[in-house]
Structure formats: C-alpha cells, structure tokens
Amino acid sequence: MKRRIFIQKTAFASILPLIPKNTFSNPASSFKPISIASGNGLQATAKAMEIILKGGDALDAVVAGVNIVENDPNDNSVGYGGLPNYEGVVELDSSVMHGATHRAGAVAALQNIKNPASVAKMVLERTDHVLIVGEGALKFARMHGFKEENLLTEESRKEWVKWREMMSKEDDYLPPHSIDELDLGANTKEALKTYGTINCLGLDLAGNISGVTTTSGLSYKIPGRVGDSPIIGAGLYVDNEVGAAGSTGRGEANLLDCSSFMIVEFMRQGLSPTDACLEACKRIATHTKEKRLLTKDGKPNFNVSFYAINKKGGYGSAAIYEGIKYAVNDGKESRLETAVGYFKR
Ligand code: GLY
C-alpha cells in the first residue's frame, strides 16, 4: 500500500517540472547574468543568454546553447560530426550540473545519439544516478525517445581514414615503459589528435548557476575511453553559493587533478575566476611527470583550458598555453576574449 502511494506520488511528481523554473524573471534582479563557453561557443552563449534574459533556468539555458554546437556537422569536436574513436565510431561524453539543486547527470561513451548533453540532463532529471555509460546510456536514451543516428559525417569519416592510413606503431596502447621514455605513444603525434569539447556555464537572473560540458572526446581514442568531460569535479563542477568551472583539452591530465572542483574551491577562498583557473593550470604543470608528456624544457606538451564564473557574474579563463579564445555573453552580443596563458608559446 505504502509502495503504491509512493509510486502514485512519484508519477504525479514526474509531470511537474523537476527543475524549479525561475518564477522571477525580475528585471530588477540583483544578479548580473553571465554565460561563458569555450571558443566554439559563440552561438551557445548567445542562446543561453537569450533564455536567461527571459527568466529561464541556467541549466535549460546552457544545454540549449551547446545543443546548437552538438548539432553542427562542421564542429568535429562535439556531437554530430565529432571525430570518432580508433574503430571509426563516434562516442560522446557529457555532464551537466544544476547549482540550485546541487544535482548532476552525465553520460559517457554514448554512441548514436547526437545530443549527449540532453541525455545527461535526463539522467539528472529522471534517475537516481549521476553517470551512465556505454550501452546502458544508449538504452536509457532510447527509453526517453532520443533518436538514434549515425553521427559520423563524411568529413569526419575521411579524417579518420587519413589517420588510419598514417598510423604507425605509436598509438595509445603503450608497452611497459618507464616515465623516462621519450617518443612513445600517440602523444608524439599530437598534431593529428584533438580533444575538442564545449563547456558552457551560466548564471541566471535568479542567481542560480549551472554548467554543461559535452564532447566527442579524444579523436581516435581506444573505444570506451572516457575523458574528463562527463566526470563531475573534473570536466565540470558547480557550487551554487560560489560559482562554476569547466574544461576543454587533454582530459587525462584533468582527470588526475579534478580541476573544476579545485577551481570552485579556489574561488570559495576568494580567488578571481581567472586566478583560480591559473592555479589549476599550475597544478597540472607541476603534476606532469612522464617525459613523453613534457617538452625539452619540462613543460606539458599539451594544452588544457579552464573556464569559470562566480556568483557575482565575474568570469575568466586560463589555459596552460596562451592563445586560447573563449566566448562571453554578459547580456548583449556574444564576443571572444583571450584566456590567460600559464605559459607563453
Ligand atoms: N576534454 C575532453 C576529453 O579529453 O575528452
């Protein structure tokens, strides 16, 4: 009997919006709305701000923003048209986090569904879990009516074929090795590989913060490889009292430092978004010990970029190497700004 009442209540609850909408599209809001994203996120931030300025919830806003990039066949780092794994199959990772309710959802190694960010949001809204991977994530997406399709565009397929044809024994399957080995592994072919991703963060008029990170991950990865994007604390973290952070770039380095969580904690201690991002870059530089991942002068031979916003509408971005652009929208046009580099090129 008790169980029936519970199920009835739950069924009733499920027709209600699970994420509280902002009832206060109050023009006199004391919060300064902001949305920022990685450099491929000009349209994403514009869409997110459009929704925020109408009084929408920051999570709805940032997910609608990145859906545009996921659907874009010409962005080969995210969603449809993303570069595939080693076997030519596009596998997507994404996470979302909702500051107001401190809930998160994520999917990893998801095939055939072009909007992993929306599936991650569905994990947040309609499960008791945070992360669902692989076949389970696909079944969950199917259950909720997401359309299955081949995500490999002709352009991405050709890029993959080019990579296979140039492939040598230097791939991601490493033999036993010491940390002193040079010229080992796919990292020596860095120019052929990408870690492209989009992260988008937003602060809405109600003062609530949310974020999303979505990616096709490392190009030509070992099937099943999961990067930082769907890992809460690494590729994305939100604390509604403090701010939010997210990342793009070499996910393995970020997974070893849980940088997004670290950035939010640095902001809690009073650092600006940019300085907090710089601290995360410094931590990765300090923790990178394997010579195959270092330049001759001992710096990381890869890049990772971080994006952060705080509760006051402050924002910033830093990358291990300078030259990275990121998108900002503080209520008007989206624009590109330059991330601070921890190292010069
Ligand atoms: N940062 C994206 C990835 O490494 O998969």
mmCIF file of all heavy atoms in Angstrom, residues 247-280:
data_model
loop_
_atom_site.group_PDB
_atom_site.id
_atom_site.type_symbol
_atom_site.label_atom_id
_atom_site.label_comp_id
_atom_site.label_asym_id
_atom_site.label_seq_id
_atom_site.Cartn_x
_atom_site.Cartn_y
_atom_site.Cartn_z
ATOM 1 N N SER A 247 36.075 22.616 -18.376
ATOM 2 C CA SER A 247 37.366 22.487 -19.047
ATOM 3 C C SER A 247 37.226 21.969 -20.460
ATOM 4 O O SER A 247 36.232 21.330 -20.818
ATOM 5 C CB SER A 247 38.232 21.496 -18.274
ATOM 6 O OG SER A 247 37.607 20.233 -18.334
ATOM 7 N N THR A 248 38.269 22.217 -21.244
ATOM 8 C CA THR A 248 38.476 21.558 -22.534
ATOM 9 C C THR A 248 39.974 21.227 -22.608
ATOM 10 O O THR A 248 40.765 21.786 -21.859
ATOM 11 C CB THR A 248 38.088 22.475 -23.721
ATOM 12 O OG1 THR A 248 38.897 23.665 -23.676
ATOM 13 C CG2 THR A 248 36.627 22.884 -23.672
ATOM 14 N N GLY A 249 40.322 20.330 -23.509
ATOM 15 C CA GLY A 249 41.738 19.975 -23.639
ATOM 16 C C GLY A 249 41.989 18.553 -23.176
ATOM 17 O O GLY A 249 41.047 17.762 -23.045
ATOM 18 N N ARG A 250 43.263 18.236 -22.908
ATOM 19 C CA ARG A 250 43.647 16.851 -22.591
ATOM 20 C C ARG A 250 42.985 16.355 -21.298
ATOM 21 O O ARG A 250 43.395 16.687 -20.183
ATOM 22 C CB ARG A 250 45.176 16.764 -22.484
ATOM 23 C CG ARG A 250 45.672 15.363 -22.194
ATOM 24 C CD ARG A 250 47.186 15.294 -22.116
ATOM 25 N NE ARG A 250 47.595 14.137 -21.353
ATOM 26 C CZ ARG A 250 47.680 12.887 -21.847
ATOM 27 N NH1 ARG A 250 47.415 12.640 -23.089
ATOM 28 N NH2 ARG A 250 48.023 11.886 -21.065
ATOM 29 N N GLY A 251 41.957 15.552 -21.487
ATOM 30 C CA GLY A 251 41.151 15.105 -20.358
ATOM 31 C C GLY A 251 41.921 14.286 -19.342
ATOM 32 O O GLY A 251 41.659 14.355 -18.143
ATOM 33 N N GLU A 252 42.896 13.508 -19.814
ATOM 34 C CA GLU A 252 43.641 12.650 -18.884
ATOM 35 C C GLU A 252 44.333 13.504 -17.819
ATOM 36 O O GLU A 252 44.355 13.145 -16.637
ATOM 37 C CB GLU A 252 44.673 11.805 -19.650
ATOM 38 C CG GLU A 252 44.099 10.569 -20.339
ATOM 39 C CD GLU A 252 43.236 10.871 -21.553
ATOM 40 O OE1 GLU A 252 43.226 12.034 -22.016
ATOM 41 O OE2 GLU A 252 42.568 9.937 -22.041
ATOM 42 N N ALA A 253 44.895 14.636 -18.234
ATOM 43 C CA ALA A 253 45.594 15.495 -17.267
ATOM 44 C C ALA A 253 44.607 16.056 -16.259
ATOM 45 O O ALA A 253 44.895 16.137 -15.053
ATOM 46 C CB ALA A 253 46.296 16.630 -18.005
ATOM 47 N N ASN A 254 43.444 16.417 -16.732
ATOM 48 C CA ASN A 254 42.441 16.994 -15.842
ATOM 49 C C ASN A 254 41.885 15.944 -14.885
ATOM 50 O O ASN A 254 41.655 16.215 -13.697
ATOM 51 C CB ASN A 254 41.331 17.619 -16.690
ATOM 52 C CG ASN A 254 40.347 18.391 -15.855
ATOM 53 O OD1 ASN A 254 40.587 18.661 -14.680
ATOM 54 N ND2 ASN A 254 39.238 18.733 -16.447
ATOM 55 N N LEU A 255 41.699 14.712 -15.390
ATOM 56 C CA LEU A 255 41.184 13.643 -14.520
ATOM 57 C C LEU A 255 42.114 13.403 -13.338
ATOM 58 O O LEU A 255 41.673 12.995 -12.265
ATOM 59 C CB LEU A 255 41.042 12.343 -15.318
ATOM 60 C CG LEU A 255 39.806 12.258 -16.202
ATOM 61 C CD1 LEU A 255 39.915 11.080 -17.172
ATOM 62 C CD2 LEU A 255 38.547 12.127 -15.363
ATOM 63 N N LEU A 256 43.398 13.648 -13.529
ATOM 64 C CA LEU A 256 44.358 13.399 -12.445
ATOM 65 C C LEU A 256 44.385 14.529 -11.430
ATOM 66 O O LEU A 256 45.083 14.436 -10.411
ATOM 67 C CB LEU A 256 45.762 13.187 -13.041
ATOM 68 C CG LEU A 256 45.875 11.930 -13.914
ATOM 69 C CD1 LEU A 256 47.217 11.886 -14.626
ATOM 70 C CD2 LEU A 256 45.685 10.676 -13.076
ATOM 71 N N ASP A 257 43.663 15.612 -11.691
ATOM 72 C CA ASP A 257 43.690 16.744 -10.755
ATOM 73 C C ASP A 257 42.318 17.263 -10.344
ATOM 74 O O ASP A 257 42.246 18.182 -9.530
ATOM 75 C CB ASP A 257 44.511 17.888 -11.364
ATOM 76 C CG ASP A 257 45.990 17.590 -11.274
ATOM 77 O OD1 ASP A 257 46.509 17.554 -10.145
ATOM 78 O OD2 ASP A 257 46.624 17.344 -12.311
ATOM 79 N N CYS A 258 41.247 16.709 -10.913
ATOM 80 C CA CYS A 258 39.881 17.158 -10.546
ATOM 81 C C CYS A 258 39.811 18.692 -10.572
ATOM 82 O O CYS A 258 39.389 19.340 -9.608
ATOM 83 C CB CYS A 258 39.496 16.634 -9.174
ATOM 84 S SG CYS A 258 39.425 14.860 -9.136
ATOM 85 N N SER A 259 40.216 19.254 -11.693
ATOM 86 C CA SER A 259 40.466 20.698 -11.729
ATOM 87 C C SER A 259 39.228 21.566 -11.552
ATOM 88 O O SER A 259 39.310 22.642 -10.955
ATOM 89 C CB SER A 259 41.135 21.050 -13.051
ATOM 90 O OG SER A 259 42.230 20.204 -13.262
ATOM 91 N N SER A 260 38.087 21.145 -12.092
ATOM 92 C CA SER A 260 36.917 22.022 -11.979
ATOM 93 C C SER A 260 36.505 22.183 -10.520
ATOM 94 O O SER A 260 36.170 23.284 -10.069
ATOM 95 C CB SER A 260 35.757 21.477 -12.816
ATOM 96 O OG SER A 260 36.098 21.578 -14.176
ATOM 97 N N PHE A 261 36.551 21.068 -9.789
ATOM 98 C CA PHE A 261 36.261 21.156 -8.350
ATOM 99 C C PHE A 261 37.288 22.076 -7.674
ATOM 100 O O PHE A 261 36.947 22.939 -6.872
ATOM 101 C CB PHE A 261 36.291 19.755 -7.728
ATOM 102 C CG PHE A 261 36.018 19.757 -6.258
ATOM 103 C CD1 PHE A 261 34.738 19.949 -5.773
ATOM 104 C CD2 PHE A 261 37.051 19.585 -5.340
ATOM 105 C CE1 PHE A 261 34.484 19.968 -4.403
ATOM 106 C CE2 PHE A 261 36.806 19.611 -3.976
ATOM 107 C CZ PHE A 261 35.516 19.801 -3.502
ATOM 108 N N MET A 262 38.547 21.890 -8.054
ATOM 109 C CA MET A 262 39.624 22.702 -7.451
ATOM 110 C C MET A 262 39.406 24.194 -7.724
ATOM 111 O O MET A 262 39.560 25.036 -6.830
ATOM 112 C CB MET A 262 40.969 22.262 -8.041
ATOM 113 C CG MET A 262 42.148 22.935 -7.401
ATOM 114 S SD MET A 262 43.744 22.648 -8.217
ATOM 115 C CE MET A 262 43.535 21.277 -9.263
ATOM 116 N N ILE A 263 39.006 24.524 -8.938
ATOM 117 C CA ILE A 263 38.808 25.931 -9.306
ATOM 118 C C ILE A 263 37.683 26.533 -8.464
ATOM 119 O O ILE A 263 37.804 27.654 -7.946
ATOM 120 C CB ILE A 263 38.513 26.047 -10.819
ATOM 121 C CG1 ILE A 263 39.782 25.727 -11.611
ATOM 122 C CG2 ILE A 263 37.993 27.438 -11.182
ATOM 123 C CD1 ILE A 263 39.552 25.482 -13.093
ATOM 124 N N VAL A 264 36.591 25.783 -8.309
ATOM 125 C CA VAL A 264 35.488 26.300 -7.487
ATOM 126 C C VAL A 264 35.968 26.488 -6.046
ATOM 127 O O VAL A 264 35.651 27.495 -5.393
ATOM 128 C CB VAL A 264 34.257 25.364 -7.577
ATOM 129 C CG1 VAL A 264 33.196 25.766 -6.568
ATOM 130 C CG2 VAL A 264 33.683 25.407 -8.994
ATOM 131 N N GLU A 265 36.774 25.558 -5.556
ATOM 132 C CA GLU A 265 37.282 25.708 -4.178
ATOM 133 C C GLU A 265 38.213 26.922 -4.066
ATOM 134 O O GLU A 265 38.168 27.648 -3.064
ATOM 135 C CB GLU A 265 38.004 24.430 -3.732
ATOM 136 C CG GLU A 265 37.059 23.276 -3.475
ATOM 137 C CD GLU A 265 35.926 23.646 -2.528
ATOM 138 O OE1 GLU A 265 36.186 24.032 -1.385
ATOM 139 O OE2 GLU A 265 34.747 23.567 -2.960
ATOM 140 N N PHE A 266 39.025 27.159 -5.085
ATOM 141 C CA PHE A 266 39.889 28.354 -5.046
ATOM 142 C C PHE A 266 39.036 29.630 -5.066
ATOM 143 O O PHE A 266 39.356 30.611 -4.392
ATOM 144 C CB PHE A 266 40.886 28.358 -6.204
ATOM 145 C CG PHE A 266 42.129 27.537 -5.939
ATOM 146 C CD1 PHE A 266 42.546 26.563 -6.830
ATOM 147 C CD2 PHE A 266 42.895 27.753 -4.800
ATOM 148 C CE1 PHE A 266 43.690 25.810 -6.587
ATOM 149 C CE2 PHE A 266 44.044 27.005 -4.544
ATOM 150 C CZ PHE A 266 44.435 26.032 -5.443
ATOM 151 N N MET A 267 37.945 29.603 -5.834
ATOM 152 C CA MET A 267 37.067 30.796 -5.850
ATOM 153 C C MET A 267 36.401 30.966 -4.483
ATOM 154 O O MET A 267 36.214 32.083 -4.016
ATOM 155 C CB MET A 267 36.020 30.677 -6.964
ATOM 156 C CG MET A 267 36.624 30.788 -8.355
ATOM 157 S SD MET A 267 35.422 31.097 -9.665
ATOM 158 C CE MET A 267 34.521 29.569 -9.714
ATOM 159 N N ARG A 268 36.068 29.861 -3.830
ATOM 160 C CA ARG A 268 35.471 29.945 -2.493
ATOM 161 C C ARG A 268 36.446 30.646 -1.521
ATOM 162 O O ARG A 268 36.048 31.390 -0.644
ATOM 163 C CB ARG A 268 35.174 28.543 -1.963
ATOM 164 C CG ARG A 268 34.299 28.528 -0.706
ATOM 165 C CD ARG A 268 34.285 27.162 -0.061
ATOM 166 N NE ARG A 268 33.894 26.084 -0.933
ATOM 167 C CZ ARG A 268 32.638 25.773 -1.252
ATOM 168 N NH1 ARG A 268 31.640 26.451 -0.734
ATOM 169 N NH2 ARG A 268 32.385 24.773 -2.064
ATOM 170 N N GLN A 269 37.741 30.398 -1.759
ATOM 171 C CA GLN A 269 38.744 31.035 -0.893
ATOM 172 C C GLN A 269 39.011 32.487 -1.288
ATOM 173 O O GLN A 269 39.843 33.154 -0.685
ATOM 174 C CB GLN A 269 40.060 30.253 -0.961
ATOM 175 C CG GLN A 269 39.997 28.903 -0.295
ATOM 176 C CD GLN A 269 41.164 28.019 -0.702
ATOM 177 O OE1 GLN A 269 42.227 28.502 -1.091
ATOM 178 N NE2 GLN A 269 40.968 26.708 -0.631
ATOM 179 N N GLY A 270 38.357 32.970 -2.344
ATOM 180 C CA GLY A 270 38.475 34.382 -2.690
ATOM 181 C C GLY A 270 39.208 34.689 -3.977
ATOM 182 O O GLY A 270 39.326 35.854 -4.368
ATOM 183 N N LEU A 271 39.730 33.659 -4.655
ATOM 184 C CA LEU A 271 40.428 33.942 -5.914
ATOM 185 C C LEU A 271 39.427 34.333 -7.000
ATOM 186 O O LEU A 271 38.278 33.880 -7.006
ATOM 187 C CB LEU A 271 41.201 32.707 -6.374
ATOM 188 C CG LEU A 271 42.693 32.676 -6.017
ATOM 189 C CD1 LEU A 271 42.886 32.768 -4.520
ATOM 190 C CD2 LEU A 271 43.352 31.438 -6.575
ATOM 191 N N SER A 272 39.876 35.173 -7.919
ATOM 192 C CA SER A 272 39.040 35.531 -9.072
ATOM 193 C C SER A 272 38.923 34.300 -9.967
ATOM 194 O O SER A 272 39.762 33.380 -9.896
ATOM 195 C CB SER A 272 39.705 36.660 -9.857
ATOM 196 O OG SER A 272 40.851 36.147 -10.509
ATOM 197 N N PRO A 273 37.909 34.264 -10.858
ATOM 198 C CA PRO A 273 37.800 33.123 -11.774
ATOM 199 C C PRO A 273 39.091 32.879 -12.560
ATOM 200 O O PRO A 273 39.545 31.737 -12.679
ATOM 201 C CB PRO A 273 36.634 33.518 -12.685
ATOM 202 C CG PRO A 273 35.768 34.387 -11.818
ATOM 203 C CD PRO A 273 36.739 35.182 -10.973
ATOM 204 N N THR A 274 39.706 33.942 -13.063
ATOM 205 C CA THR A 274 40.931 33.750 -13.854
ATOM 206 C C THR A 274 42.063 33.191 -13.001
ATOM 207 O O THR A 274 42.762 32.251 -13.395
ATOM 208 C CB THR A 274 41.379 35.084 -14.497
ATOM 209 O OG1 THR A 274 40.301 35.572 -15.280
ATOM 210 C CG2 THR A 274 42.600 34.908 -15.360
ATOM 211 N N ASP A 275 42.254 33.771 -11.802
ATOM 212 C CA ASP A 275 43.346 33.283 -10.948
ATOM 213 C C ASP A 275 43.105 31.839 -10.508
ATOM 214 O O ASP A 275 44.050 31.042 -10.397
ATOM 215 C CB ASP A 275 43.510 34.193 -9.725
ATOM 216 C CG ASP A 275 44.158 35.520 -10.109
ATOM 217 O OD1 ASP A 275 44.718 35.603 -11.219
ATOM 218 O OD2 ASP A 275 44.084 36.472 -9.310
ATOM 219 N N ALA A 276 41.849 31.501 -10.263
ATOM 220 C CA ALA A 276 41.537 30.121 -9.875
ATOM 221 C C ALA A 276 41.858 29.172 -11.030
ATOM 222 O O ALA A 276 42.430 28.084 -10.831
ATOM 223 C CB ALA A 276 40.068 30.013 -9.480
ATOM 224 N N CYS A 277 41.535 29.597 -12.259
ATOM 225 C CA CYS A 277 41.856 28.768 -13.435
ATOM 226 C C CYS A 277 43.373 28.619 -13.586
ATOM 227 O O CYS A 277 43.885 27.544 -13.921
ATOM 228 C CB CYS A 277 41.261 29.377 -14.701
ATOM 229 S SG CYS A 277 39.459 29.306 -14.801
ATOM 230 N N LEU A 278 44.092 29.708 -13.317
ATOM 231 C CA LEU A 278 45.563 29.647 -13.419
ATOM 232 C C LEU A 278 46.148 28.668 -12.408
ATOM 233 O O LEU A 278 47.114 27.958 -12.697
ATOM 234 C CB LEU A 278 46.155 31.040 -13.176
ATOM 235 C CG LEU A 278 46.251 31.939 -14.410
ATOM 236 C CD1 LEU A 278 46.651 33.357 -14.005
ATOM 237 C CD2 LEU A 278 47.219 31.379 -15.448
ATOM 238 N N GLU A 279 45.574 28.629 -11.219
ATOM 239 C CA GLU A 279 46.055 27.677 -10.204
ATOM 240 C C GLU A 279 45.899 26.241 -10.698
ATOM 241 O O GLU A 279 46.748 25.388 -10.446
ATOM 242 C CB GLU A 279 45.295 27.856 -8.887
ATOM 243 C CG GLU A 279 45.729 29.069 -8.079
ATOM 244 C CD GLU A 279 47.190 29.009 -7.635
ATOM 245 O OE1 GLU A 279 47.685 27.918 -7.304
ATOM 246 O OE2 GLU A 279 47.846 30.071 -7.641
ATOM 247 N N ALA A 280 44.786 25.989 -11.389
ATOM 248 C CA ALA A 280 44.570 24.632 -11.917
ATOM 249 C C ALA A 280 45.605 24.305 -12.995
ATOM 250 O O ALA A 280 46.112 23.176 -13.062
ATOM 251 C CB ALA A 280 43.153 24.504 -12.464
#
